[in-house]
Amino acid sequence: MLKSSHEPQGQFDTTSLRPLLKRYSLRYFLAGHEREALIDRTLAALAADPDLAYEAPIERAVARIMHKVFTANLSQHLE
């Protein structure tokens, strides 16, 4: 899991982003494991580089990152 009790103060809370990411993932027509993998990989990308999420508005930044993750990692599995 990405979030831990040892996370430094100031890090964004990935659990609060999960509902937003679930809504965004609907556009890719994924379900079950594939949908959760997209969400997990998007959270991992945000955790690896938190500066990615400082675009305004945050919703646009998160959607852009999810799309980047989808096209890089998951689109080939849907063909």
Side-chain angles (χ1 to χ4, degrees):
M1 181 133 201
L2 296 174
K3 185 177 180 337
S4 74
S5 60
H6 302 288
E7 214 170 26
Q9 291 283 335
Q11 290 283 334
F12 61 89
D13 179 9
T14 59
T15 58
S16 64
L17 288 176
R18 193 167 282 280
L20 177 67
L21 293 175
K22 283 187 177 194
R23 285 196 314 268
Y24 287 175
S25 68
L26 293 173
R27 74 185 290 199
Y28 300 105
F29 302 103
L30 300 174
H33 176 70
E34 290 179 332
R35 183 178 179 193
E36 290 303 315
L38 176 60
I39 292 167
D40 290 342
R41 289 179 182 180
T42 302
L43 288 170
L46 287 166
D49 189 358
D51 290 340
L52 293 173
Y54 284 111
E55 280 185 31
I58 184 67
E59 293 86 358
R60 183 178 299 156
V62 171
R64 184 182 58 78
I65 293 163
M66 178 175 274
H67 185 71
K68 183 177 177 180
V69 168
F70 174 78
T71 57
N73 295 303
L74 297 173
S75 62
Q76 68 271 12
H77 296 293
L78 299 176
E79 297 174 348

